[in-house]
Amino acid sequence: MSVSSSRTRQRPLRGGGRRPVAWVVLGVLSVFVVLAAGCHRREADVEPDERHSADAERGGADMLLTADDLGADWREDTRTGPPPWPWEQDSCPDYRSSDYPAKAHRRTAVERYYRPAGGSPPVHHVVETYEPGWAQRSVDDVRQVLLRCASYLVHGSQVSFHIVDSHYLGGLGMLIRGRIERADISSAVTYFVMLRRGETVSTVSLPDSGSQAAVDSVAAKAVARLG
């Protein structure tokens, strides 16, 4: 499903599509970036240089979206402890965590989930602040992940990523489409809005509502939160 405004209807952001699609997404949750819980790893599995990131002071919560930014039916679910790097792809055969050094240079990282009524897929927002010079390096690392893990098979589903707009919002960030496809059921699509301002990187994932305007509205609010 494309986000092109010429092919989508202008309607508010909703919690997701038909219930069977939501269950397929949940079935491959651990490999689809941060669609809900992300690719969290146990502390014992984290390399020493990455633990520096996990132990960093938390901050930047004021840069996270609020539930009101998404609509009246959304509720916030803030997690304690800093989140992992949003683009870990441990199930991708060509992914090696050590190839992406920027995540070890985060100074702060916070996250928030937003859950609608009815059990539909959630929205997820991560805000990371990096040591000087490392935010752009993090963006470069994401581009490499999207290149190496553009498409791969896991748990009977084909996971794929496509950069829809590499200069989204006038060059402030990227708009990325993630898709899970199975032969026996409709595709599940999530959009990722990645923004950088200075040494801060903001990443929002949201289920496809079929509306370009809805994606752009959330993205604009995330930009405003960056200040």
Side-chain angles (χ1 to χ4, degrees):
M1 185 179 298
S2 171
V3 304
S4 172
S5 57
S6 64
R7 299 171 65 97
T8 56
R9 292 177 290 172
Q10 304 291 308
R11 63 176 183 266
L13 181 66
R14 300 295 182 187
R18 296 180 295 276
R19 186 174 179 84
V21 174
W23 281 112
V24 171
V25 173
L26 291 175
V28 291
L29 194 59
S30 63
V31 299
F32 204 20
V33 196
V34 289
L35 188 55
C39 300
H40 291 225
R41 291 176 297 162
R42 296 174 300 168
E43 183 69 11
D45 296 331
V46 180
E47 297 296 327
D49 60 343
E50 295 179 78
R51 193 168 295 120
H52 164 74
S53 171
D55 292 336
E57 61 175 309
R58 293 191 296 275
D62 57 332
M63 297 182 183
L64 291 168
L65 294 167
T66 67
D68 289 342
D69 290 327
L70 301 179
D73 296 333
W74 293 82
R75 298 292 180 267
E76 296 176 12
D77 179 9
T78 302
R79 303 296 176 89
T80 60
W85 189 49
W87 295 93
E88 297 282 3
Q89 290 289 297
D90 290 343
S91 295
C92 171
D94 295 324
Y95 180 85
R96 292 187 300 274
S97 183
S98 60
D99 289 342
Y100 308 98
K103 61 182 179 292
H105 294 270
R106 298 194 304 183
R107 298 179 63 183
T108 66
V110 292
E111 68 179 336
R112 183 174 292 158
Y113 293 88
Y114 313 83
R115 301 185 183 279
S120 296
V123 169
H124 182 231
H125 191 189
V126 177
V127 174
E128 306 162 290
T129 300
Y130 284 83
E131 296 171 3
W134 283 95
Q136 180 57 52
R137 187 71 178 274
S138 176
V139 175
D140 295 340
D141 282 354
V142 171
R143 291 182 183 274
Q144 286 300 312
V145 170
L146 295 174
L147 180 63
R148 292 187 183 182
C149 299
S151 181
Y152 60 93
L153 185 67
V154 60
H155 300 316
S157 297
Q158 193 72 33
V159 177
S160 62
F161 297 98
H162 172 68
I163 298 178
V164 179
D165 189 344
S166 60
H167 297 282
Y168 189 49
L169 298 178
L172 286 175
M174 289 189 291
L175 178 62
I176 301 150
R177 181 177 62 236
R179 185 189 301 271
I180 297 177
E181 296 178 285
R182 288 176 60 95
D184 57 345
I185 203 162
S186 300
S187 300
V189 175
T190 293
Y191 284 97
F192 302 89
V193 176
M194 183 178 180
L195 308 165
R196 183 181 74 86
R197 178 162 288 173
E199 296 302 330
T200 300
V201 177
S202 172
T203 306
V204 182
S205 64
L206 57 157
D208 178 31
S209 68
S211 170
Q212 173 75 54
V215 174
D216 291 346
S217 176
V218 173
K221 291 172 182 176
V223 170
R225 291 283 173 183
L226 286 176

